[in-house]
Amino acid sequence: MTGNMHLGVEEPIRECQYNQICTHNSSPMDTPHTKKKKIKRKWQVFPGRNKFYCNGRIMMAKQTGVFYLTTVLILVTSGLFFAFDCPFLASNLTPAIPAVGGVLFVFVMGMLLRASFSDPGVLPRATPEEAADTERQIDATNGPSGPGYRPPPRTREVVINGQTVKLKYCFTCKIFRPPRASHCSLCDNCVERFDHHCPWVGNCVGRRNYRFFYLFILSLSFLTIFIFAFVITHVILRSNRTGFLSALKDSPASVLEVVVCFFSVWSIVGLSGFHTYLISSNQTTNEDIKGSWSSKRGKGNFNPYSYGNFLTNCCAALCGPLPPSLIDRRGFVQPDTPQPAAQTNGTGACPSNQVQNHMAATNPLLHSQPIILGGGAPLQAKTSLGGPCSTLGPSQASLPSSIPGLSCGGELMALRDSEIHCHHHLHHQHFISPEETPSPPAALPCATHLGHNVHPAQVFNPASQDSLHEDSVRGLVKLSSV
Amino acid sequence: MATEFHNLQELRHSASLATKVFIQRDYSDGTICKFQTKFPAELDSRIERSLFEETVKTLNCCYAEAEKIGGQSYLEGCLACATAYIVFLCMETRYEKILKKISMYIQEQNEKIYAPRGLLLTDPIERGMRVIEISIFEDSGSTSSSSTGSPSSGTAQ
């Protein structure tokens, strides 16, 4: 009789009792519980290794040193150009030169900052329920694993436009990655349409900021060539009047500019050319380096994402719709109901535990009424979260149960990730094939990072797990203070 | 009408969350946002197949429209590029407008169709556009057994 409601049959209201389910947006400020506690924004509990500034508006990678170098190089070179070369050029040739230079410079800086500061298309980690559901599906597909049995790597195959594409399972984010997504080991996030991690820009380059990155390198090529050409012109014009050596003495900055521009122009123009090729064939750097769509892999291998012609591919990459960020950085972390530790009573029915299991608006948000997690405990057992309903064995609850079982779904999942990693290690004996490693960044100017990332067993490196563990403990301490 | 389905704002009884069903993405058309219309077994006794499919199909249409590459998106892209993307500080992108529309639609569907059947749709944007999460609520007035045994069977190790 449970839940058997047929259309047209009127059931008395008292039989089906549902709590007030709020389908409207609710502000966390409404909750009386939060008045004493400080409400955190989601960026403060973000599980990846990103840095946030301006209260979550700006998002960058952890290592930003090279980005500052890029900015300084551009600012100094352009500054010197405007200060020392432009006055001469404006008066002797045309004032359009500094004007065009100015526009180019502003555009370059704008695109650089936009590429560096925006969310590249990070995929939020799976909520505990979603992860449990995925695990269940994987176990169902693979069959029961006895002791010593090695389950195959977790993949799903999907046919896209006639081409078979393998979707890989991300052990960190607990999701099957969408096609073209990849996990960046530096930022510890899965990024949609992952191109590469660029240290010059201080961020990953993915779906949401690829066009800014491309426009940045394209306009920077123009700016570099522009400065180079006009500084040379300036020196030549001066030497015509006063001789070469005295021209150099009169404008020493020009030497520095020429040197900087000469060395940068090769790599930047080369990179622009490379990315123009990638855009026109609708590939990512990642795919190109791995040779995913090259004909060498197989006779029928082709790129299923290409629109067929160069123009449509370009327009799609540069003028297509810009999807919004999926990781609501500035949203508020929903305040938790009283800690489950105080409420755990060890009975199977979990009668009075209050669990919050949503992230925002349209989820059932029960401010004042308790939710009884009837079927919930078994769900928790699978992911060994040791939630409020402690029907689980003591070995499962490896982290203090003062952590609210299901709050901030994905974030909490990530914080406990290292623990669960270890658990899965023991229980399922995963052996990740080298293919499943987080993909290494591009071998181009971002070559500096190749050294760190190519080790196939990196995910299970005890040292990194220890540091992850440390991070997760720190994160837990942070969360439990909410 | 009020007796046929339950007004969300009026009832204040405790409900039990039995399980959640996840509708996965359908990647057969590429990376565009599209959800599978396969009817999950857990919803078999809770909602009519046609209503569910209608909801998912409408959502798919909306997402397809948001991600469509055509005249309007080109215009918006070119305008934005010409203004160095400053225009997006004042203006909402087309994608964002459609997402708001989708949010309203889901709310409306929840109120009219899903909540009376003890179900609740979660906006996919809350889940990283990966799944449509459908929460299945149990009638606490009945026995405490959950609607299907499948969530609990997952714990067997």
Side-chain angles (χ1 to χ4, degrees), chain A residues 2 15 19 124 130 357 363 378, chain B residues 13 17 122 130 138-139 155:
Chain A
T2 318
E15 274 195 27
N19 196 357
E130 201 188 322
N357 62 351
N363 282 355
Chain B
H13 300 262
L17 175 65
T122 305
R130 270 195 308 268
E138 264 316 313
D139 177 8
T155 57

Side-chain angles (χ1 to χ4, degrees), chain A residues 56-393:
Chain A
R57 289 181 181 91
I58 291 175
M59 175 176 179
M60 295 180 77
K62 198 171 172 194
Q63 308 286 346
T64 51
V66 187
F67 163 71
Y68 293 123
L69 174 69
T70 311
T71 316
V72 161
L73 272 175
I74 296 175
L75 286 175
V76 166
T77 313
S78 309
L80 289 175
F81 176 72
F82 290 123
F84 293 98
D85 300 89
C86 280
F88 181 90
L89 291 165
S91 50
N92 287 289
L93 286 178
T94 158
I97 294 172
V100 170
V103 168
L104 263 179
F105 170 73
V106 168
F107 194 75
V108 165
M109 286 310 294
M111 290 298 105
L112 170 65
L113 296 180
R114 196 71 208 245
S116 301
F117 294 165
S118 49
D119 169 14
V122 173
L123 291 168
R125 300 194 182 182
T127 55
E129 296 96 0
E130 201 188 322
D133 187 69
T134 311
E135 294 264 337
R136 222 179 319 122
Q137 282 179 24
I138 292 171
D139 286 342
T141 323
N142 288 346
S145 55
Y149 172 69
R150 211 164 106 176
R154 298 172 169 184
T155 56
R156 250 184 211 164
E157 281 197 1
V158 73
V159 178
I160 300 176
N161 290 334
Q163 174 84 343
T164 309
V165 175
K166 267 196 181 154
L167 302 184
K168 300 203 179 124
Y169 181 75
C170 180
F171 289 93
T172 313
C173 304
K174 303 272 188 288
I175 58 170
F176 274 98
R177 281 183 220 128
R180 312 192 96 177
S182 199
H183 190 96
C184 176
S185 47
L186 290 164
C187 302
D188 205 23
N189 294 315
C190 272
V191 178
E192 272 188 299
R193 203 189 180 279
F194 181 74
D195 195 85
H196 65 284
H197 181 101
C198 188
W200 300 94
V201 149
N203 206 354
C204 288
V205 176
R207 184 180 178 202
R208 294 190 73 246
N209 66 350
Y210 184 64
R211 71 192 65 189
F212 305 127
F213 173 76
Y214 177 73
L215 290 172
F216 164 63
I217 55 175
L218 194 65
S219 53
L220 187 62
S221 322
F222 288 135
L223 183 67
T224 316
I225 294 172
F226 183 87
I227 291 181
F228 187 71
F230 282 107
V231 167
I232 301 271
T233 310
H234 173 212
V235 170
I236 290 175
L237 288 177
R238 263 195 205 254
S239 5
N240 282 347
R241 295 183 194 178
T242 59
F244 183 65
L245 282 175
S246 64
L248 287 185
K249 250 198 318 194
D250 289 336
S251 120
S254 307
V255 179
L256 177 66
E257 292 165 50
V258 164
V259 165
V260 170
C261 289
F262 181 77
F263 287 111
S264 1
V265 79
W266 305 108
S267 47
I268 294 172
V269 171
L271 194 58
S272 307
F274 175 64
H275 278 278
T276 308
Y277 155 72
L278 287 182
I279 282 188
S280 63
S281 59
N282 202 330
Q283 284 186 86
T284 63
T285 306
N286 205 18
E287 286 165 355
D288 185 72
I289 285 186
K290 286 186 181 166
S292 309
W293 314 124
S294 90
S295 45
K296 291 179 201 158
R297 276 218 180 185
K299 208 168 168 209
N301 209 25
F302 63 94
N303 183 0
Y305 310 108
S306 172
Y307 291 96
N309 78 73
F310 153 88
L311 212 62
T312 319
N313 283 338
C314 285
C315 289
L318 301 175
C319 301
L322 189 65
S325 175
L326 296 174
I327 51 162
D328 190 24
R329 308 191 283 284
R330 286 176 43 79
F332 290 101
V333 170
Q334 293 301 325
D336 302 315
T337 48
Q339 304 297 328
Q343 306 216 337
T344 305
N345 51 22
T347 61
C350 313
S352 63
N353 287 322
Q354 298 180 6
V355 176
Q356 192 173 23
N357 62 351
H358 70 101
M359 295 242 307
T362 54
N363 282 355
L365 170 58
L366 305 165
H367 291 297
S368 46
Q369 302 302 316
I371 302 179
I372 296 168
L373 206 62
L379 275 177
Q380 302 316 308
K382 190 65 186 167
T383 55
S384 67
L385 275 178
C389 301
S390 304
T391 51
L392 314 167

Side-chain angles (χ1 to χ4, degrees), chain A residues 1-25 42 106-107 110-111 114 123-127 129-131 133-134 136-137 139 156 158-162 167 173 175-180 192 207 211-212 215 305 307 311-312 315-316 318-326 357-366 368-379 381-382 396 427-428, chain B residues 1-22 24-33 42 45-48 51 66-70 73-78 80-86 88 93-96 99 103 106-107 110-111 115-131 133 135 137-147 150-157:
Chain A
M1 258 318 276
T2 318
N4 277 339
M5 293 170 68
H6 303 286
L7 247 193
V9 174
E10 289 188 323
E11 301 203 7
I13 291 175
R14 60 180 167 77
E15 274 195 27
C16 301
Q17 298 164 359
Y18 298 106
N19 196 357
Q20 173 188 350
I21 298 168
C22 179
T23 55
H24 298 282
N25 287 332
K42 287 182 188 166
V106 168
F107 194 75
M111 290 298 105
R114 196 71 208 245
L123 291 168
R125 300 194 182 182
T127 55
E129 296 96 0
E130 201 188 322
D133 187 69
T134 311
R136 222 179 319 122
Q137 282 179 24
D139 286 342
R156 250 184 211 164
V158 73
V159 178
I160 300 176
N161 290 334
L167 302 184
C173 304
I175 58 170
F176 274 98
R177 281 183 220 128
R180 312 192 96 177
E192 272 188 299
R207 184 180 178 202
R211 71 192 65 189
F212 305 127
L215 290 172
Y305 310 108
Y307 291 96
L311 212 62
T312 319
C315 289
L318 301 175
C319 301
L322 189 65
S325 175
L326 296 174
N357 62 351
H358 70 101
M359 295 242 307
T362 54
N363 282 355
L365 170 58
L366 305 165
S368 46
Q369 302 302 316
I371 302 179
I372 296 168
L373 206 62
L379 275 177
K382 190 65 186 167
Q396 301 280 6
H427 289 214
H428 300 296
Chain B
M1 201 63 169
T3 51
E4 268 188 343
F5 60 84
H6 312 290
N7 192 321
L8 301 169
Q9 273 67 41
E10 285 170 4
L11 296 178
R12 288 193 145 271
H13 300 262
S14 56
S16 59
L17 175 65
T19 185
K20 291 188 181 185
V21 180
F22 298 95
Q24 301 287 337
R25 283 271 293 270
D26 176 8
Y27 292 114
S28 54
D29 281 340
T31 50
I32 62 160
C33 186
E42 291 92 338
S45 55
R46 306 298 291 253
I47 192 169
E48 294 71 33
L51 285 174
E67 299 192 7
K68 194 176 67 172
I69 302 167
S73 78
Y74 283 158
L75 225 72
E76 198 183 51
C78 290
C81 185
T83 60
Y85 294 90
I86 297 175
F88 285 152
T93 68
R94 194 163 146 265
Y95 206 114
E96 280 165 355
L99 283 181
S103 202
I106 290 182
Q107 207 172 299
N110 272 334
E111 280 170 7
R117 290 168 172 75
L119 303 171
L120 203 75
L121 291 179
T122 305
D123 196 337
I125 194 86
E126 311 286 346
R127 295 288 175 265
M129 303 284 262
R130 270 195 308 268
V131 287
E133 187 182 288
S135 310
F137 287 88
E138 264 316 313
D139 177 8
S140 67
S142 64
T143 54
S144 61
S145 62
S146 51
S147 60
S150 49
S152 21
S153 68
T155 57
Q157 288 190 1

Side-chain angles (χ1 to χ4, degrees), chain A residues 372-452:
Chain A
I372 296 168
L373 206 62
L379 275 177
Q380 302 316 308
K382 190 65 186 167
T383 55
S384 67
L385 275 178
C389 301
S390 304
T391 51
L392 314 167
S395 59
Q396 301 280 6
S398 49
L399 285 169
S401 53
S402 62
I403 304 308
L406 290 169
S407 75
C408 321
E411 286 91 83
L412 181 60
M413 197 62 198
L415 287 168
R416 301 186 66 133
D417 188 55
S418 59
E419 294 295 308
I420 292 165
H421 243 103
C422 301
H423 273 272
H424 281 183
H425 238 89
L426 299 166
H427 289 214
H428 300 296
Q429 297 171 17
H430 286 161
F431 295 85
I432 295 184
S433 71
E435 278 182 323
E436 293 212 358
T437 43
S439 52
L444 293 165
C446 317
T448 46
H449 282 267
L450 262 183
H452 307 333

